[in-house]
Amino acid sequence: MYQPTELSLEQEFHLKSFADQVQHMSRKQAQEFLIMLHEQMMIRETMYRHFLRHEWNLDSGTVFK
């Protein structure tokens, strides 16, 4: 049975490709990349919160935590 937390075949391919790229990075490159990736994840989370507030009509100042 399909579990929504399982990766699709395409996602598994992208993950393998990503792992191969990371293996060829220096430690400094990998650290800089992780910081950038974490920042992008936080931005995406902020955008999701904004979209959900708007969609659920919670724009009146209610704060998600």
Side-chain angles (χ1 to χ4, degrees):
M1 185 163 131
Y2 174 74
Q3 297 280 337
T5 57
E6 293 178 1
L7 297 178
S8 69
L9 190 57
E10 181 180 5
Q11 288 172 318
E12 287 181 20
F13 173 78
H14 284 289
L15 181 60
K16 173 70 171 117
S17 175
F18 177 79
D20 291 344
Q21 288 177 336
V22 172
Q23 290 296 325
H24 292 74
M25 288 182 182
S26 69
R27 180 182 174 94
K28 182 172 176 31
Q29 287 173 320
Q31 289 173 333
E32 290 171 354
F33 181 75
L34 282 172
I35 291 168
M36 182 185 69
L37 186 62
H38 186 70
E39 179 184 21
Q40 290 176 354
M41 289 170 59
M42 291 186 330
I43 291 169
R44 181 173 52 188
E45 180 182 353
T46 300
M47 290 173 61
Y48 286 158
R49 287 180 181 176
H50 172 78
F51 293 141
L52 287 174
R53 276 191 204 119
H54 180 73
E55 185 65 27
W56 294 343
N57 297 319
L58 298 174
D59 293 332
S60 61
T62 304
V63 177
F64 270 131
K65 287 200 176 191

